Amino acid sequence: MNKTHDNKAWLFVLPVVALVAFNAVIPLMTVVNYSVQETFGDNVFFWAGVTWFEQVLQSERFHDALLRQMFFTFSILAIEVPLGVAIALTMPRKGPWVPVCLVLMALPLLIPWNVVGAMWNIFALPDIGLLGRSLNALGFDYNFTRQPGDAWFTLILMDVWHWTSLVVLLAYAGLVSIPDAYYQAAKIDGARPFAIFRYIQLPKMKRVLTIAVLLRFMDSFMIYTELSVLTGGGPGNSTTLLSIDLVKIALGQFDLGPAAAMSLIYFLIILALSWVFYTLMMRNEQQ
């Protein structure tokens, strides 16, 4: 019996294909085009080959920005994932406080990124900000606009405040999906709280934690708005991550070729590291 194929179904897919092509494929091809050409103005381009890629990969400026980016990303992952799981474990599973806790956890995620940067910029000002004045009153010489260490502390604290809620909500979703029978069996066996976490709760959270780690990794690697508003990459270049450096090259210096090459390298780094994260976490889950 031959199956009939209804090609009219493709008509429903065409709008999505057109939208993806407009939002992703066409801009990507434009960037690829700029990355292999040189221009001296008047929209006249000359073939440059892989010159810009070699320049970016050999640039000490790019290496420094990449190291700062890696430090920031792995720092916030090391803080937000364990902290998010710990908060999710303390949240109630039943009762009237459940919606209250969920709403409180969701609030930071509802604030626009530029507003978050502006809030923390004011909050951390050493003269009038609550955080800045409090730390200075306690005897700390705090000034995130002048001291690189203070700028890093403020940046990481801001990101932890803003995005730990995402990990909390994902971990909580994994916890509430665990049947009560598991806990009853553990109670009968006399299992201790750590054993319950190790053998019941953590395995059930592995999939959602994989999603949380991948989302936080990609978001933190692409951070721009909050960082731009908070420190602008300063003081000096101490918090100039890859996104800030890319904007400086593309819009500040208007070097389209190097900026296009750097954006492609940037994209490939995120893609490769995300694949490594996913592969390792899936391999551990299967063992």
Side-chain angles (χ1 to χ4, degrees), residues 128-235:
I128 62 173
L130 179 60
L131 175 64
R133 291 202 61 169
S134 299
L135 290 176
N136 284 315
L138 292 173
F140 296 98
D141 184 19
Y142 173 84
N143 191 333
F144 80 98
T145 63
R146 296 182 181 179
Q147 302 177 25
D150 295 340
W152 273 104
F153 169 76
T154 309
L155 175 61
I156 293 175
L157 188 63
M158 177 190 69
D159 197 88
V160 169
W161 175 85
H162 190 197
W163 289 109
T164 300
S165 297
L166 177 64
V167 182
V168 173
L169 294 176
L170 290 172
Y172 185 79
L175 288 173
V176 296
S177 66
I178 302 175
D180 291 336
Y182 284 58
Y183 295 107
Q184 294 172 1
K187 185 177 181 180
I188 294 173
D189 292 338
R192 296 187 176 184
F194 180 77
I196 294 174
F197 172 74
R198 171 67 179 82
Y199 296 104
I200 296 178
Q201 294 172 327
L202 187 58
K204 292 296 182 180
M205 287 193 294
K206 276 189 175 181
R207 289 189 179 275
V208 292
L209 288 181
T210 300
I211 297 173
V213 170
L214 287 175
L215 288 177
R216 287 307 304 126
F217 167 77
M218 290 185 290
D219 286 341
S220 64
F221 225 86
M222 296 184 294
I223 185 174
Y224 173 75
T225 306
E226 305 101 307
L227 174 60
S228 177
V229 176
L230 180 65
T231 67

Side-chain angles (χ1 to χ4, degrees), residues 24-280:
V25 178
I26 294 177
L28 179 61
M29 291 300 101
T30 303
V31 172
V32 172
N33 181 50
Y34 280 127
S35 69
V36 293
Q37 298 192 67
E38 167 69 295
T39 180
F40 296 103
D42 296 329
N43 208 28
V44 178
F45 292 89
F46 307 90
W47 177 257
V50 296
T51 302
W52 303 129
F53 291 94
E54 293 176 349
Q55 177 179 315
V56 171
L57 291 174
Q58 295 172 3
S59 169
E60 184 176 349
R61 173 179 175 176
F62 174 76
H63 295 161
D64 292 341
L66 178 60
L67 287 175
R68 288 189 289 266
Q69 183 71 69
M70 299 289 281
F71 173 77
F72 171 75
T73 296
F74 287 104
S75 294
I76 64 102
L77 285 177
I79 297 172
E80 291 178 10
V81 175
L83 180 60
V85 172
I87 295 174
L89 289 171
T90 62
M91 290 173 61
R93 312 286 195 277
K94 299 177 181 178
W97 288 104
V98 172
V100 176
C101 293
L102 292 177
V103 169
L104 290 176
M105 285 294 104
L107 282 178
L109 302 176
L110 301 177
I111 303 175
W113 297 342
N114 58 332
V115 177
V116 171
M119 285 170 49
W120 276 83
N121 189 302
I122 299 172
F123 181 58
L125 285 174
D127 297 327
I128 62 173
L130 179 60
L131 175 64
R133 291 202 61 169
S134 299
L135 290 176
N136 284 315
L138 292 173
F140 296 98
D141 184 19
Y142 173 84
N143 191 333
F144 80 98
T145 63
R146 296 182 181 179
Q147 302 177 25
D150 295 340
W152 273 104
F153 169 76
T154 309
L155 175 61
I156 293 175
L157 188 63
M158 177 190 69
D159 197 88
V160 169
W161 175 85
H162 190 197
W163 289 109
T164 300
S165 297
L166 177 64
V167 182
V168 173
L169 294 176
L170 290 172
Y172 185 79
L175 288 173
V176 296
S177 66
I178 302 175
D180 291 336
Y182 284 58
Y183 295 107
Q184 294 172 1
K187 185 177 181 180
I188 294 173
D189 292 338
R192 296 187 176 184
F194 180 77
I196 294 174
F197 172 74
R198 171 67 179 82
Y199 296 104
I200 296 178
Q201 294 172 327
L202 187 58
K204 292 296 182 180
M205 287 193 294
K206 276 189 175 181
R207 289 189 179 275
V208 292
L209 288 181
T210 300
I211 297 173
V213 170
L214 287 175
L215 288 177
R216 287 307 304 126
F217 167 77
M218 290 185 290
D219 286 341
S220 64
F221 225 86
M222 296 184 294
I223 185 174
Y224 173 75
T225 306
E226 305 101 307
L227 174 60
S228 177
V229 176
L230 180 65
T231 67
N237 290 322
S238 59
T239 59
T240 299
L241 307 185
L242 285 174
S243 58
I244 296 290
D245 199 32
L246 177 59
V247 171
K248 287 181 178 179
I249 294 173
L251 301 181
Q253 302 170 201
F254 207 70
D255 290 334
L256 298 182
M262 182 178 173
S263 65
L264 291 176
I265 295 171
Y266 192 3
F267 166 72
L268 292 175
I269 290 174
I270 296 174
L271 186 65
L273 290 177
S274 298
W275 178 81
V276 170
F277 266 110
Y278 179 79
T279 302
L280 291 177

